[in-house]
Amino acid sequence: MCGIIGYIGKKNSIPVLINGLKRLEYRGYDSAGIAFFRNDKIEVRRCAGKIRDLEASIKNENLKSVIGLGHTRWATHGRPSEENAHPHRAGGIVLVHNGIIENYFELREELKKKGHVFTSETDTEVICHLINRYAQKGLGFEDATREALKHVEGAYAVGIINEKEPDKIIAVKKDSPLVVGTGDGEFFIASDIPAFLKYTKNVVILENGDMAMLTHQGVSFSNVQTKKPLKKVPSKISWSPSMAEKGGYKHFMLKEIFEQPRAIADTIRGRFSVGKGEVNLDEFSMKESALKNLNKIFLVACGTSWHSALIGKYMIEDMARVPCEVDIASEFRYRKPFIPKGSLVIVITQSGETADTLAAQKESKKLGARVLTICNVVDSTSAREADSVFYTHSGPEIGVASTKAFTTQLTGLYLFSIALAKAKGKLHSREVKKLFNELLLLPEKVGKALQCNSAVLKIARKFCQVRDFLYLGRGINYPIALEGALKLKEISYIHAEGYPAGEMKHGPIALIDNDMPVLALAPDDNVFEKIISNMEEVKSRGGKVIAVATEGNTKVLSHASHVLSMPKTNYYLTPIIFSIPLHLLAYHMAVLRKCNVDQPRNLAKSVTVE
Ligand code: M6R
């Protein structure tokens, strides 16, 4: 995830910026840069790679400036490179940006027609050009910024400096975090508090639509559109630096679970048009004609990403009626798969570097298939080697246990299934709009689902000492049973198994006794009654049933000893909502058992060996 730091004060800003960027390193990044004043001109230094490379490149320059901006970039549009690194410049306007500009393509084309020359592949650069355009028309720095941002759709946290008004930093926030730090005669902006925690603990957290103007005299706040002044009182942060890195959460895993409403919102941003009833196929780098001609799909992945693949099969076959096969990558690569003409292999990988997945991808290409990767890390090996890429915009995932990457992969698969179904003539525009409208509600519903956290903690307290755990699901939620079990094993070291509930009577039922907790996924769907029968089978043998059900369902209450209620959504999105209490349960059990949640034993975030 990109990081922002900005400074104005009496100190030399260069070491403050470098130190601030280092404090943001934990967020993950692929390039870094700073902007500062020298002889009344703004200069920019950037490089692909690490902050220490940037530091080394400026070491002998003896740079001094009392005002400056710094940035670490996690690529979303355009590969990691020096040209794509921030700060970006247009004329005298230099800025750093976090977030995603939805309409950057249209804006860039318009500006190009008016003679603007772009030097990067980023969405960010359009903001600089727009502000510069208004500044050239005679507007002051502040008004040019306000005017430019009226045209920008999407999420942004921006820090801007201007050669013509050298004693100011302007910062604006919409849907991407931005904070202001107020010290003694020195002021900061940052995407995250740890960037300036060393210098001040007084913080103002900006709200959507807030503009902050930082000068040597202080900070003033206003609404970016109405210009109405805003009164903001800094609050004192008592977090330790390590807590601050995790946004106040105890572990990265918990932070990442709670980031999901934002991660999903970023993943769907600009990816479809409700009005036109269309998925933006550029985002899959595919044409509708290519989709029309597909007659078979293979989904290949490892671990949690494989669970996404299993759910993807339900979505694709149900919506688009195209047959799918799902494989674990380490099996696929050696099983001599038969891939008929007209097949697409969809590889799913958070890191884009998993050895087995990459080998399966290579094998698919060798066998003549077209490959689409659903991937989180821009310019990773999988992304570079695939024919088409859909990037999930969940931001870097630091906890070894995959959470927000999983739900954003499912979001990508949902969009792909709609696009394919539409191309195949299996969905009417009316139905497509309905599916989009439900997707638009998803971030809010995920936020609501997260409110089960304290109820889940209570359940975890009750069961954290058990030896085994069984998860049951049916249909599209059967893979969620597998996912719940994998998470529990991975981080709490409790033996757990996930089963399709109807299969329980063929073996696992022998395990049920008074000590066996069984978590049953029981949404309101076509197999609800069936799962209720399975829960009864468990109860009658003394097992303890924890049910995850749709809110408002009262029938489930008499069949379980604990019930977690989840917001209602459509059939295809249920797995996203229902994965939330399971991830939280694994998390709390692991914490209660004093396990190393973010770095479980024997595991690595990216499995780059076979
Ligand atoms: O980066 P990938 O999605 O390719 O990683 C695949 C698995 O290694 C990963 O999902 C793993 O199972 C997680 N630790 C599960 O939480």
Side-chain angles (χ1 to χ4, degrees), residues 502-533:
E503 187 66 10
M504 188 176 63
K505 56 186 171 297
H506 298 287
I509 200 163
L511 294 170
I512 310 287
D513 62 14
N514 291 338
D515 297 324
M516 181 66 125
V518 178
L519 187 142
L521 294 150
D524 287 359
D525 62 10
N526 58 331
V527 283
F528 174 75
E529 292 297 337
K530 306 275 172 208
I531 198 106
I532 290 287
S533 308

Short mmCIF file of all heavy atoms in Angstrom, two decimals, residues 502-533:
data_model
loop_
_atom_site.label_atom_id
_atom_site.label_comp_id
_atom_site.label_asym_id
_atom_site.label_seq_id
_atom_site.Cartn_x
_atom_site.Cartn_y
_atom_site.Cartn_z
N GLY A 502 -23.09 -32.95 3.60
CA GLY A 502 -23.76 -34.20 3.23
C GLY A 502 -22.83 -35.40 3.29
O GLY A 502 -23.27 -36.55 3.28
N GLU A 503 -21.54 -35.13 3.32
CA GLU A 503 -20.54 -36.21 3.31
C GLU A 503 -20.22 -36.68 4.72
O GLU A 503 -19.57 -37.71 4.92
CB GLU A 503 -19.29 -35.65 2.60
CG GLU A 503 -18.16 -36.61 2.32
CD GLU A 503 -18.49 -37.71 1.30
OE1 GLU A 503 -19.55 -37.65 0.66
OE2 GLU A 503 -17.70 -38.67 1.21
N MET A 504 -20.72 -35.93 5.73
CA MET A 504 -20.35 -36.25 7.12
C MET A 504 -20.71 -37.69 7.49
O MET A 504 -19.93 -38.39 8.12
CB MET A 504 -21.04 -35.27 8.07
CG MET A 504 -20.56 -35.43 9.49
SD MET A 504 -21.26 -34.22 10.61
CE MET A 504 -22.99 -34.60 10.53
N LYS A 505 -21.88 -38.11 7.03
CA LYS A 505 -22.34 -39.46 7.42
C LYS A 505 -21.49 -40.56 6.79
O LYS A 505 -21.62 -41.73 7.13
CB LYS A 505 -23.81 -39.64 7.05
CG LYS A 505 -24.12 -39.41 5.59
CD LYS A 505 -25.63 -39.46 5.37
CE LYS A 505 -26.04 -39.03 3.97
NZ LYS A 505 -25.72 -37.64 3.64
N HIS A 506 -20.60 -40.19 5.84
CA HIS A 506 -19.76 -41.20 5.20
C HIS A 506 -18.41 -41.35 5.90
O HIS A 506 -17.47 -41.87 5.31
CB HIS A 506 -19.56 -40.85 3.72
CG HIS A 506 -20.86 -40.84 2.96
ND1 HIS A 506 -21.54 -41.98 2.62
CD2 HIS A 506 -21.64 -39.80 2.53
CE1 HIS A 506 -22.65 -41.66 1.97
NE2 HIS A 506 -22.74 -40.34 1.93
N GLY A 507 -18.28 -40.89 7.09
CA GLY A 507 -17.01 -41.06 7.80
C GLY A 507 -16.83 -40.15 9.00
O GLY A 507 -16.85 -40.62 10.15
N PRO A 508 -16.74 -38.83 8.79
CA PRO A 508 -16.38 -37.94 9.90
C PRO A 508 -17.37 -37.99 11.07
O PRO A 508 -17.00 -37.65 12.20
CB PRO A 508 -16.37 -36.54 9.29
CG PRO A 508 -16.60 -36.69 7.85
CD PRO A 508 -16.82 -38.11 7.50
N ILE A 509 -18.58 -38.45 10.84
CA ILE A 509 -19.56 -38.51 11.92
C ILE A 509 -19.05 -39.37 13.08
O ILE A 509 -19.41 -39.16 14.24
CB ILE A 509 -20.94 -39.00 11.38
CG1 ILE A 509 -22.04 -38.60 12.34
CG2 ILE A 509 -20.94 -40.50 11.10
CD1 ILE A 509 -23.43 -38.65 11.75
N ALA A 510 -18.14 -40.29 12.78
CA ALA A 510 -17.57 -41.15 13.82
C ALA A 510 -16.76 -40.34 14.83
O ALA A 510 -16.54 -40.78 15.97
CB ALA A 510 -16.68 -42.21 13.16
N LEU A 511 -16.34 -39.16 14.44
CA LEU A 511 -15.53 -38.32 15.35
C LEU A 511 -16.38 -37.56 16.36
O LEU A 511 -15.87 -37.03 17.35
CB LEU A 511 -14.75 -37.27 14.54
CG LEU A 511 -13.66 -37.76 13.59
CD1 LEU A 511 -13.19 -36.60 12.71
CD2 LEU A 511 -12.48 -38.31 14.40
N ILE A 512 -17.68 -37.45 16.10
CA ILE A 512 -18.52 -36.57 16.93
C ILE A 512 -18.71 -37.17 18.33
O ILE A 512 -19.15 -38.31 18.48
CB ILE A 512 -19.91 -36.34 16.28
CG1 ILE A 512 -19.78 -35.91 14.83
CG2 ILE A 512 -20.75 -35.36 17.12
CD1 ILE A 512 -19.30 -34.52 14.58
N ASP A 513 -18.36 -36.39 19.33
CA ASP A 513 -18.66 -36.73 20.72
C ASP A 513 -18.82 -35.42 21.48
O ASP A 513 -18.84 -34.34 20.87
CB ASP A 513 -17.57 -37.63 21.32
CG ASP A 513 -16.22 -36.93 21.34
OD1 ASP A 513 -16.17 -35.69 21.16
OD2 ASP A 513 -15.19 -37.61 21.53
N ASN A 514 -18.88 -35.47 22.80
CA ASN A 514 -19.12 -34.26 23.61
C ASN A 514 -18.04 -33.21 23.45
O ASN A 514 -18.24 -32.04 23.78
CB ASN A 514 -19.21 -34.63 25.09
CG ASN A 514 -20.46 -35.42 25.36
OD1 ASN A 514 -21.41 -35.35 24.58
ND2 ASN A 514 -20.45 -36.20 26.44
N ASP A 515 -16.85 -33.63 23.00
CA ASP A 515 -15.73 -32.68 22.93
C ASP A 515 -15.59 -32.03 21.55
O ASP A 515 -14.65 -31.27 21.34
CB ASP A 515 -14.41 -33.40 23.24
CG ASP A 515 -14.41 -33.93 24.65
OD1 ASP A 515 -14.98 -33.24 25.52
OD2 ASP A 515 -13.88 -35.04 24.87
N MET A 516 -16.46 -32.40 20.63
CA MET A 516 -16.22 -31.94 19.25
C MET A 516 -17.08 -30.75 18.85
O MET A 516 -18.30 -30.88 18.66
CB MET A 516 -16.50 -33.11 18.29
CG MET A 516 -16.25 -32.76 16.85
SD MET A 516 -14.52 -32.42 16.54
CE MET A 516 -14.22 -33.57 15.24
N PRO A 517 -16.47 -29.55 18.71
CA PRO A 517 -17.26 -28.44 18.19
C PRO A 517 -17.39 -28.54 16.66
O PRO A 517 -16.44 -28.90 15.97
CB PRO A 517 -16.44 -27.20 18.57
CG PRO A 517 -15.08 -27.69 18.89
CD PRO A 517 -15.09 -29.18 19.02
N VAL A 518 -18.57 -28.21 16.18
CA VAL A 518 -18.82 -28.27 14.74
C VAL A 518 -19.39 -26.93 14.30
O VAL A 518 -20.42 -26.49 14.82
CB VAL A 518 -19.82 -29.40 14.40
CG1 VAL A 518 -20.11 -29.42 12.89
CG2 VAL A 518 -19.27 -30.75 14.85
N LEU A 519 -18.70 -26.28 13.39
CA LEU A 519 -19.22 -25.01 12.88
C LEU A 519 -19.96 -25.29 11.58
O LEU A 519 -19.39 -25.86 10.64
CB LEU A 519 -18.09 -24.01 12.65
CG LEU A 519 -18.57 -22.61 12.29
CD1 LEU A 519 -17.71 -21.53 12.93
CD2 LEU A 519 -18.67 -22.40 10.78
N ALA A 520 -21.24 -24.89 11.54
CA ALA A 520 -22.06 -25.15 10.35
C ALA A 520 -22.43 -23.84 9.67
O ALA A 520 -22.90 -22.91 10.31
CB ALA A 520 -23.32 -25.90 10.76
N LEU A 521 -22.18 -23.80 8.36
CA LEU A 521 -22.54 -22.61 7.58
C LEU A 521 -23.97 -22.80 7.10
O LEU A 521 -24.24 -23.72 6.31
CB LEU A 521 -21.57 -22.45 6.41
CG LEU A 521 -20.14 -22.15 6.89
CD1 LEU A 521 -19.11 -22.69 5.93
CD2 LEU A 521 -19.95 -20.67 7.14
N ALA A 522 -24.88 -21.95 7.60
CA ALA A 522 -26.30 -22.19 7.32
C ALA A 522 -27.00 -20.93 6.80
O ALA A 522 -27.93 -20.41 7.43
CB ALA A 522 -26.99 -22.68 8.60
N PRO A 523 -26.55 -20.43 5.63
CA PRO A 523 -27.26 -19.24 5.10
C PRO A 523 -28.64 -19.62 4.58
O PRO A 523 -28.91 -20.80 4.33
CB PRO A 523 -26.36 -18.81 3.93
CG PRO A 523 -25.64 -20.04 3.51
CD PRO A 523 -25.50 -20.91 4.73
N ASP A 524 -29.49 -18.61 4.40
CA ASP A 524 -30.80 -18.86 3.79
C ASP A 524 -30.59 -19.16 2.31
O ASP A 524 -30.44 -18.24 1.51
CB ASP A 524 -31.68 -17.60 3.89
CG ASP A 524 -32.17 -17.36 5.31
OD1 ASP A 524 -31.85 -18.18 6.19
OD2 ASP A 524 -32.87 -16.35 5.52
N ASP A 525 -30.50 -20.40 1.95
CA ASP A 525 -30.37 -20.74 0.53
C ASP A 525 -31.09 -22.05 0.26
O ASP A 525 -31.82 -22.56 1.12
CB ASP A 525 -28.88 -20.80 0.10
CG ASP A 525 -28.08 -21.87 0.83
OD1 ASP A 525 -28.68 -22.70 1.54
OD2 ASP A 525 -26.85 -21.88 0.71
N ASN A 526 -30.87 -22.62 -0.93
CA ASN A 526 -31.64 -23.80 -1.33
C ASN A 526 -31.29 -25.06 -0.52
O ASN A 526 -32.00 -26.06 -0.61
CB ASN A 526 -31.43 -24.08 -2.83
CG ASN A 526 -29.96 -24.29 -3.17
OD1 ASN A 526 -29.09 -23.74 -2.49
ND2 ASN A 526 -29.67 -25.07 -4.18
N VAL A 527 -30.18 -25.01 0.25
CA VAL A 527 -29.82 -26.21 1.02
C VAL A 527 -29.91 -25.97 2.54
O VAL A 527 -29.38 -26.75 3.33
CB VAL A 527 -28.41 -26.73 0.63
CG1 VAL A 527 -28.47 -27.48 -0.70
CG2 VAL A 527 -27.39 -25.61 0.56
N PHE A 528 -30.61 -24.89 2.90
CA PHE A 528 -30.72 -24.56 4.33
C PHE A 528 -31.29 -25.72 5.14
O PHE A 528 -30.75 -26.12 6.18
CB PHE A 528 -31.57 -23.28 4.50
CG PHE A 528 -31.85 -22.96 5.93
CD1 PHE A 528 -30.86 -22.43 6.75
CD2 PHE A 528 -33.11 -23.21 6.49
CE1 PHE A 528 -31.12 -22.15 8.10
CE2 PHE A 528 -33.36 -22.93 7.84
CZ PHE A 528 -32.36 -22.40 8.63
N GLU A 529 -32.40 -26.30 4.65
CA GLU A 529 -33.05 -27.39 5.40
C GLU A 529 -32.09 -28.58 5.56
O GLU A 529 -32.10 -29.28 6.56
CB GLU A 529 -34.33 -27.85 4.67
CG GLU A 529 -35.44 -26.81 4.67
CD GLU A 529 -35.95 -26.46 6.06
OE1 GLU A 529 -35.78 -27.27 6.99
OE2 GLU A 529 -36.51 -25.34 6.23
N LYS A 530 -31.28 -28.80 4.52
CA LYS A 530 -30.35 -29.94 4.53
C LYS A 530 -29.30 -29.74 5.63
O LYS A 530 -28.95 -30.66 6.35
CB LYS A 530 -29.63 -30.07 3.19
CG LYS A 530 -30.53 -30.14 2.00
CD LYS A 530 -30.99 -31.56 1.76
CE LYS A 530 -32.05 -31.60 0.69
NZ LYS A 530 -32.96 -32.70 0.80
N ILE A 531 -28.79 -28.52 5.72
CA ILE A 531 -27.74 -28.28 6.72
C ILE A 531 -28.32 -28.37 8.13
O ILE A 531 -27.67 -28.81 9.07
CB ILE A 531 -26.95 -26.97 6.46
CG1 ILE A 531 -25.61 -26.98 7.23
CG2 ILE A 531 -27.68 -25.73 6.84
CD1 ILE A 531 -24.43 -27.20 6.40
N ILE A 532 -29.59 -27.97 8.27
CA ILE A 532 -30.26 -28.09 9.57
C ILE A 532 -30.28 -29.57 9.98
O ILE A 532 -29.98 -29.93 11.13
CB ILE A 532 -31.69 -27.50 9.52
CG1 ILE A 532 -31.63 -25.98 9.39
CG2 ILE A 532 -32.55 -27.92 10.72
CD1 ILE A 532 -31.22 -25.23 10.64
N SER A 533 -30.56 -30.46 9.03
CA SER A 533 -30.56 -31.90 9.34
C SER A 533 -29.17 -32.34 9.77
O SER A 533 -29.02 -33.12 10.73
CB SER A 533 -30.96 -32.73 8.12
OG SER A 533 -32.15 -32.25 7.61
#
